Amino acid sequence: AQTVTQSQPEMSVQEAETVTLSCTYDTSESDYYLFWYKQPPSRQMILVIRQEAYKQQNATENRFSVNFQKAAKSFSLKISDSQLGDAAMYFCAYREDGSGSRLTFGEGTQLTVNP
Amino acid sequence: ETGVTQSPTHLIKTRGQQVTLRCSSQSGHNTVSWYQQALGQGPQFIFQYYREEENGRGNFPPRFSGLQFPNYSSELNVNALELDDSALYLCASSAGGIPPYEQYFGPGTRLTVT
């Protein structure tokens, strides 16, 4: 079974600085998708960024970028120029290609942004 | 474009009772997935419905059941509630059959079992 591990239960960053959240996963599949979701106190799960395993280029969405290391099964999220609104729980998630839309989530990292 | 909605927002039930949670999928989406998120944990996949048929199930007992209607809205039913069923229940919809099957989540229903 696929597993997703986030080893940092909590992280903090100063406003305007950069922070990196870690995620590792275990799978025997070669085709899959990886995601970072953000869950603010409002509880709504919001997609931050997506990475297709077949793509070597790391995904980027504005201030958010990933470092995808397929051989190491590592998928970290970098947030640049952190803003107060970035404070939330961040979840790393895995989806096997062909499994429909079933997501396997990590345990989450609570990010605090200090002014 | 209407997003994913869920009802009710909160509810409190007693152990042994039954509960029904509802989800309206985003316009154009035909797949609905349900997740259980216990406090302080990541969401766990319960099951998925695609075109009114269950299409994948996680490690949840049969007392967790669901339905999907012709308009692709969905219900999650839980019978014989247990204290451990207390959690946030998330519904997500996606356009099945169209990669990357990106999911859009609703705001969740907070269930408390006493």
Side-chain angles (χ1 to χ4, degrees):
Chain A
Q2 291 80 14
T3 58
V4 177
T5 302
Q6 294 178 248
S7 59
Q8 306 156 315
E10 299 177 349
M11 292 283 285
S12 63
V13 63
Q14 291 298 124
E15 197 175 1
E17 294 192 344
T18 296
V19 65
T20 298
L21 308 184
S22 301
C23 172
T24 58
Y25 59 95
D26 186 27
T27 184
S28 58
E29 303 295 325
S30 57
D31 294 327
Y32 50 87
Y33 296 85
L34 295 165
F35 306 84
W36 279 98
Y37 280 90
K38 168 185 177 181
Q39 188 177 41
S42 66
R43 311 179 320 199
Q44 186 111 27
M45 198 74 78
I46 301 164
L47 178 64
V48 174
I49 199 165
R50 179 186 73 242
Q51 175 78 44
E52 291 90 337
Y54 64 85
K55 290 187 177 179
Q56 292 186 342
Q57 186 172 5
N58 289 323
T60 299
E61 289 287 343
N62 300 315
R63 298 183 295 106
F64 299 87
S65 61
V66 299
N67 183 4
F68 172 49
Q69 301 289 329
K70 191 172 183 179
K73 296 180 182 175
S74 170
F75 182 61
S76 60
L77 174 69
K78 185 171 82 171
I79 306 174
S80 303
D81 186 24
S82 297
Q83 300 175 359
L84 294 178
D86 294 334
M89 182 71 87
Y90 285 81
F91 290 98
C92 178
Y94 165 99
R95 193 189 76 225
E96 182 181 317
D97 193 19
S99 69
S101 50
R102 174 178 184 160
L103 290 168
T104 300
F105 286 87
E107 293 298 305
T109 296
Q110 181 68 51
L111 178 66
T112 301
V113 181
N114 300 309
Chain B
E1 186 175 86
T2 305
V4 179
T5 60
Q6 292 186 243
S7 63
T9 304
H10 298 88
L11 75 165
I12 300 173
K13 290 286 189 177
T14 303
R15 188 173 49 185
Q17 286 187 318
Q18 178 266 342
V19 69
T20 297
L21 311 182
R22 295 178 175 82
C23 170
S24 291
S25 60
Q26 184 165 309
S27 177
H29 287 180
N30 56 14
T31 301
V32 172
S33 301
W34 286 92
Y35 294 83
Q36 180 195 67
Q37 186 178 16
L39 193 62
Q41 297 184 20
Q44 299 288 320
F45 175 76
I46 302 174
F47 45 55
Q48 172 183 294
Y49 279 83
Y50 173 63
R51 293 184 176 179
E52 303 179 57
E53 297 284 335
E54 187 179 294
N55 180 31
R57 189 179 182 92
N59 188 27
F60 281 82
R63 59 189 185 84
F64 285 78
S65 63
L67 283 173
Q68 187 178 33
F69 300 99
N71 66 355
Y72 304 126
S73 66
S74 177
E75 286 182 354
L76 164 65
N77 299 291
V78 187
N79 294 321
L81 284 167
E82 301 177 359
L83 296 179
D84 284 349
D85 295 334
S86 295
L88 179 68
Y89 288 85
L90 296 169
C91 164
S93 74
S94 59
I98 304 175
Y101 315 113
E102 208 148 281
Q103 293 192 67
Y104 297 84
F105 283 81
T109 294
R110 172 73 67 191
L111 171 64
T112 301
V113 182
T114 62

